[in-house]
Amino acid sequence: MADDVSSDRKGSFRKFLEHLSGAGKAIGVLTSGGDAQGMNAAVRAVVRMGIYVGAKVYFIYEGYQGMVDGGNNIVEANWESVSNILQVGGTIIGSARCKAFRSREGRLKGAQNLVQLGITNLCVIGGDGSLTGANIFRKEWNGLLEELARNGEINKEAVEKYSHLNVVGMVGSIDNDFCGTDMTIGTDSALHRIIEVIDAIMTTAQSHQRTFVLEVMGRHCGYLALVSALACGADWVFLPESPPEEGWQENMCVKLSENRARKKRLNIIIVAEGAIDTQNRPITSEQIKELVVTQLGYDTRVTILGHVQRGGTPSAFDRILASRMGVEAVVALLQATPETPACVVSLNGNQAVRLPLVECVQMTQDVQKAMDERRFKEAVRLRGRSFEGNLNTYKRLAIKLPDDQIPKSNCNVGIINVGAPAAGMNAAVRSAVRVGIADGHKMFAIYDGFEGFAKGQIKQISWADVGGWTGQGGSILGTKRTLPGKYLQEIAAQMRAHSLNALLIIGGFEAYLGLLELSKAREKQEELCVPMVMVPATVSNNVPGSDFSIGADTALNTITDTCDRIKQSASGTKRRVFIIETMGGYCGYLANMGGLAAGADAAYIFEEPFDIRDLQANVEHLTEKMKTTIQRGLVLRNESCNENYTTDFIYQLYSEEGRGVFDCRKNVLGHMQQGGAPSPFDRNFGTKISAKAMEWISKKLKQSQGKGKRFMTDDSICVLGISKRNILFQPVAELTKQTDFEHRIPKEQWWLKLRPLMKILAKYKASYEVSDSSQLEHVHLQGQEEPAAI
């Protein structure tokens, strides 16, 4: 809320500004190369954070071309210049490929145009080409100024005053082809476009028993093809980094016909536009179509997605990513010294980090070199752990070995959904079932939560049973909030009857409480002494032990889309403030992150107590805002943020206090946040994290084989989660210390450090913690843990 209220917060804000003052500095921001959704969010964050710390910020229109041409291509931006662009795809300041900047003469003109406005800080949003250009420019800067002085274009004082150029890059590219960052700006939105198309194509393909060949973008990088194949369960995928082995034509046809024999009515083949074979010869979608038609006689169609993937509204993930990176970029520019190398702001797990630009570009070029030299294993390794993990998971889930080739473990594993439904649960179930079968277990589906478990609603589930589940919302197994406490005897009896050797629980806070109850009951019920693991799945994102849970991203996108529509209606009527209530129980994740993604003026959450003075300050803030050109307001409220300041109360207060200045409307989003098809993030996250859980179960069962061992220790009953940059299995008994049971939330939540970000971008005074990333890191390849990104 408005941070003017308490003096200690004012003090910390003052310290923050002293530590990070932009007074007297000028920042230029440009977008270059191919456009990507989310670039506007990055531009907005750079402009607002820059103005906020007292710097001047200039738009450089049309990328480097605008810098070379100068004149009215370089214009000072103000707070309102970037209003209402968060939800717009592409880039409002234009992007162009620029030949002139590749020559020294071009860069000389560029330097002259910047110096005239005193711009010595450059924020470049683009791909590796754009960032490499910026680095060359930085290295030559001093020489360029001296040459300009010799030619009499600038004076000697200017050479000394503007002696060095600071450069910070952000990677905007839908291909996710840049090494050093888990996700580039635009990748998640491009996946949204691809998945929307695949979901639509699947329904028509099913009707006609067709095979579809889909070509997606990615000339040098197969990320989009690989992740969309994972997210829709495609039959085959072609990538530039990992070409199919010799004789792939026959293998692919065998696989397609096997799938048809399993009663599958459609085949989906995904091709990256840069797909090649082991001899570096291109593999085209037409070629694949010909092959399928001549060899199998299937009715086959080709769909080339093309520029659809670059267009449309940025996803919530991309908006938050770009906003975080934009603010971080300004901080990095202000902290830079002449000795600081050019850096790239990137994402590692859920941490924003800074990496040396040269190292990232070098590694990105190494991948291409490895591919050119046909060192494909090396190319996959250089792409990073996340890419390699995706590829291995895809192979495990797409190709089933014949039964006689799978060594049997003689173990039975049960899978159960608990709590409220969350989009992505079905993808998690599919993944666990297939990994389990590949590991030689018999997999059992338990229907309708612990209640169904007690009643014996348990059935063996096969590889083919879970086909096509990734794109389905809700929970196909059915789910209930009931806890196991009152059914312990019955559940133990069912475990015995079906001889279940392990249990995988997918769910939210109820699943966590259920796991605790099962762990306590182990002393009395020996059937419960088996490995158990929980995968967090809830829109509220409130499970202790994990920074993310399955379903939260889909809910966040629903909230963001709705807020976009509401803002649009408000900008038509003018002078209107909307109060929107989100779900989440006591956890403010959806309200806070939704506020960041939708550009809200305030978000009321339980974790940050507020009083009537804060509400009053917010009303005053909105009254001031109505005097500008931005005559609309958006306020989010988490459903349980305060028992007395209800949505109705806040709506009535705002209506009364804003009388004559603005009018109010309220909107409760309700259960639409739990529904809908899962987002690409949730499909992938569900698929990957659930596969990890199943691998853990297999490892535990293998250790005890033939020993008839009972699992009594804490480390055999765990929550699998993502923490900072790592995937961790944490004993549920240890997590109790980190849990606020009364309010069903973890005691510490990582996203609270993003609170000031939302306030700063909405023009409130707040102090932004710059501690966790002010050091330059180096690009590492293999780490111990799997990274948290998808």
Side-chain angles (χ1 to χ4, degrees):
M1 311 316 60
D3 277 6
D4 315 321
V5 182
S6 71
S7 56
D8 63 316
R9 282 193 274 183
K10 260 188 172 167
S12 70
F13 171 66
R14 243 196 321 277
K15 274 200 224 90
F16 160 70
L17 270 190
E18 282 158 19
H19 172 61
L20 208 77
S21 169
K25 296 191 178 177
I27 299 172
V29 57
L30 65 97
T31 51
S32 167
D35 69 320
Q37 307 95 320
M39 278 183 167
N40 286 330
V43 169
R44 169 180 178 266
V46 170
V47 169
R48 292 196 166 173
M49 184 65 179
I51 292 172
Y52 185 78
V53 293
K56 280 185 168 183
V57 187
Y58 289 87
F59 284 149
I60 301 173
Y61 286 100
E62 312 308 335
Y64 289 119
Q65 191 65 55
M67 190 196 289
V68 174
D69 296 344
N72 52 12
N73 284 305
I74 307 179
V75 179
E76 188 175 349
N78 62 26
W79 195 271
E80 289 160 43
S81 325
V82 289
S83 165
N84 216 12
I85 65 168
L86 203 50
Q87 70 278 15
V88 180
T91 160
I92 58 155
I93 55 177
S95 176
R97 311 220 180 244
C98 174
K99 272 209 180 111
F101 195 74
R102 291 186 183 166
S103 68
R104 190 173 165 96
E105 292 75 57
R107 295 195 286 274
L108 200 61
K109 280 187 193 157
Q112 186 183 345
N113 291 326
L114 293 189
V115 166
Q116 280 169 353
L117 295 164
I119 299 171
T120 54
N121 295 286
L122 205 53
C123 181
V124 180
I125 307 164
D128 58 342
S130 315
L131 299 183
T132 309
N135 197 39
I136 294 169
F137 191 42
R138 189 188 75 93
K139 282 185 183 153
E140 290 181 353
W141 180 259
N142 220 294
L144 293 170
L145 295 199
E146 279 166 6
E147 190 175 328
L148 287 169
R150 281 199 301 276
N151 301 348
E153 306 281 359
I154 59 173
N155 58 27
K156 278 274 184 282
E157 287 78 62
V159 178
E160 277 168 33
K161 188 176 175 187
Y162 304 124
S163 60
H164 69 273
L165 177 73
N166 297 320
V167 171
V168 173
M170 286 183 263
V171 191
S173 153
I174 64 165
D175 295 343
N176 203 22
D177 55 359
F178 194 79
C179 294
T181 184
D182 290 341
M183 288 290 259
T184 57
I185 296 169
T187 307
D188 188 63
S189 304
L191 286 171
H192 273 260
R193 298 300 93 80
I194 295 169
I195 294 300
E196 282 158 18
V197 171
I198 294 177
D199 284 353
I201 277 175
M202 278 179 142
T203 51
T204 162
Q206 203 120 24
S207 312
H208 295 276
Q209 298 202 33
R210 281 195 175 129
T211 295
F212 267 87
V213 181
L214 263 97
E215 185 178 304
V216 300
M217 280 186 169
R219 214 168 322 151
H220 306 296
C221 177
Y223 185 88
L224 290 178
L226 174 57
V227 173
S228 42
L230 244 189
C232 72
D235 297 81
W236 201 271
V237 65
F238 291 92
L239 314 168
E241 293 88 345
S242 178
E245 291 157 12
E246 290 296 316
W248 60 267
Q249 292 89 338
E250 196 177 327
N251 295 343
M252 185 180 80
C253 291
V254 167
K255 169 94 199 302
L256 296 181
S257 51
E258 274 177 6
N259 281 352
R260 285 288 171 101
R262 288 199 194 105
K263 304 276 192 299
K264 192 176 178 186
R265 292 178 60 89
L266 77 161
N267 302 110
I268 300 272
I269 299 165
I270 294 179
V271 193
E273 61 178 328
I276 46 175
D277 65 14
T278 47
Q279 302 308 307
N280 282 15
R281 291 181 299 242
I283 296 176
T284 66
S285 17
E286 280 303 324
Q287 222 176 310
I288 297 164
K289 176 189 168 176
E290 286 302 301
L291 180 73
V292 175
V293 171
T294 49
Q295 295 290 317
L296 299 169
Y298 292 165
D299 184 359
T300 307
R301 298 281 190 276
V302 172
T303 300
I304 297 175
L305 294 192
H307 282 73
V308 167
Q309 296 161 82
R310 280 194 194 281
T313 308
S315 65
F317 182 95
D318 271 333
R319 297 181 198 194
I320 293 165
L321 173 69
S323 300
R324 288 180 70 181
M325 285 187 175
V327 168
E328 192 59 47
V330 173
V331 174
L333 284 171
L334 297 183
Q335 289 180 337
T337 64
E339 288 70 55
T340 315
C343 74
V344 177
V345 178
S346 60
L347 179 77
N348 192 334
N350 64 20
Q351 308 287 98
V353 293
R354 298 179 202 169
L355 302 169
L357 191 149
V358 187
E359 286 182 25
C360 296
V361 170
Q362 184 55 52
M363 200 152 132
T364 305
Q365 289 166 352
D366 289 347
V367 180
Q368 191 53 49
K369 196 165 169 245
M371 279 152 62
D372 294 341
E373 293 170 3
R374 310 216 295 259
R375 291 180 289 119
F376 295 111
K377 278 204 168 70
E378 179 70 359
V380 168
R381 194 181 71 81
L382 286 169
R383 273 274 178 249
R385 300 174 297 176
S386 167
F387 190 90
E388 214 172 350
N390 281 327
L391 189 56
N392 295 335
T393 307
Y394 173 76
K395 285 177 181 166
R396 287 201 77 173
L397 297 178
I399 298 159
K400 180 181 187 290
L401 287 170
D403 286 339
D404 52 11
Q405 284 179 32
I406 302 174
K408 298 282 170 280
S409 70
N410 299 323
C411 289
N412 298 346
V413 179
I415 299 185
I416 183 170
N417 287 172
V418 178
M425 275 182 162
N426 300 321
V429 172
R430 166 189 177 265
S431 167
V433 166
R434 291 195 169 178
V435 170
I437 291 171
D439 284 343
H441 312 314
K442 279 186 182 162
M443 300 304 292
F444 287 81
I446 300 164
Y447 294 85
D448 296 336
F450 288 119
E451 225 171 280
F453 201 167
K455 292 178 185 157
Q457 295 172 351
I458 304 169
K459 199 170 98 203
Q460 193 175 342
I461 188 164
S462 73
W463 184 280
D465 289 340
V466 290
W469 277 27
T470 43
Q472 308 275 335
S475 159
I476 298 174
L477 295 184
T479 177
K480 286 229 168 39
R481 289 177 180 269
T482 327
L483 293 174
K486 50 182 179 191
Y487 302 113
L488 288 169
Q489 247 105 13
E490 292 91 330
I491 287 174
Q494 293 297 340
M495 297 270 297
R496 198 167 47 241
H498 293 89
S499 47
L500 295 179
N501 307 94
L503 195 57
L504 171 65
I505 303 175
I506 299 167
F509 205 84
E510 280 82 9
Y512 171 71
L513 294 175
L515 196 62
L516 272 172
E517 289 184 359
L518 294 174
S519 128
K520 288 193 184 107
R522 276 176 156 186
E523 289 167 14
K524 291 196 180 117
Q525 311 286 349
E526 64 171 326
E527 291 83 358
L528 301 177
C529 300
V530 299
M532 295 186 190
V533 63
M534 173 197 161
V535 170
T538 164
V539 298
S540 306
N541 196 25
N542 61 341
V543 176
S546 188
D547 292 348
F548 291 110
S549 48
I550 300 167
D553 184 71
T554 306
L556 205 50
N557 276 295
T558 303
I559 293 168
T560 310
D561 291 347
T562 311
C563 287
D564 286 349
R565 292 180 184 194
I566 285 172
K567 270 172 82 169
Q568 206 169 21
S569 93
S571 56
T573 42
K574 297 272 187 300
R575 297 181 177 280
R576 179 162 285 178
V577 175
F578 274 90
I579 289 138
I580 295 172
E581 181 185 302
T582 66
M583 276 185 158
Y586 284 98
C587 177
Y589 178 81
L590 291 178
N592 188 64
M593 300 307 250
L596 194 52
D601 294 283
Y604 298 114
I605 60 171
F606 168 75
E607 290 87 346
E608 189 177 283
F610 56 98
D611 59 23
I612 195 74
R613 288 167 304 180
D614 293 306
L615 294 171
Q616 181 62 36
N618 287 139
V619 172
E620 285 162 15
H621 185 271
L622 283 164
T623 308
E624 283 306 303
K625 188 179 175 183
M626 295 299 161
K627 293 175 186 166
T628 68
T629 54
I630 318 168
Q631 300 187 339
R632 55 162 204 287
L634 183 69
V635 175
L636 271 66
R637 179 190 172 275
N638 158 262
E639 58 184 353
S640 307
C641 65
N642 187 303
E643 57 181 331
N644 295 316
Y645 299 143
T646 59
T647 303
D648 284 336
F649 175 88
I650 292 175
Y651 161 69
Q652 285 161 351
L653 178 84
Y654 272 61
S655 300
E656 182 55 43
E657 295 292 318
R659 193 184 292 274
V661 185
F662 56 79
D663 64 350
C664 264
R665 294 286 183 278
K666 64 171 195 256
N667 203 321
V668 176
L669 297 185
H671 280 75
M672 63 190 274
Q673 295 163 84
Q674 280 180 0
S679 66
F681 185 101
D682 280 331
R683 296 182 194 202
N684 270 342
F685 182 45
T687 299
K688 286 178 70 174
I689 200 164
S690 188
K692 279 260 175 290
M694 210 52 233
E695 284 162 13
W696 178 86
I697 285 177
S698 298
K699 202 164 121 197
K700 289 276 181 210
L701 292 173
K702 211 175 198 157
Q703 287 166 0
S704 75
Q705 233 166 11
K707 298 178 189 159
K709 179 179 153 194
R710 285 168 54 190
F711 291 87
M712 290 296 288
T713 53
D714 283 351
D715 67 354
S716 63
I717 183 157
C718 287
V719 173
L720 167 56
I722 280 183
S723 174
K724 292 204 170 111
R725 305 182 189 182
N726 307 317
I727 285 187
L728 299 175
F729 288 89
Q730 298 178 73
V732 69
E734 283 174 24
L735 287 174
T736 52
K737 298 190 273 297
Q738 302 171 25
T739 311
D740 169 354
F741 284 99
E742 186 192 345
H743 300 107
R744 300 162 53 99
I745 52 175
K747 285 179 183 166
E748 282 185 14
Q749 304 188 76
W750 69 275
W751 52 266
L752 281 168
K753 70 170 192 277
L754 301 186
R755 284 288 286 169
L757 210 71
M758 192 196 90
K759 294 177 186 176
I760 288 170
L761 296 176
K763 222 174 181 173
Y764 283 102
K765 289 186 171 64
S767 56
Y768 176 63
E769 292 275 321
V770 282
S771 55
D772 64 317
S773 58
S774 53
Q775 263 23 72
L776 207 58
E777 301 195 5
H778 289 283
V779 186
H780 298 295
L781 242 185
Q782 303 297 88
Q784 292 312 303
E785 302 281 356
E786 172 76 13
I790 9 187

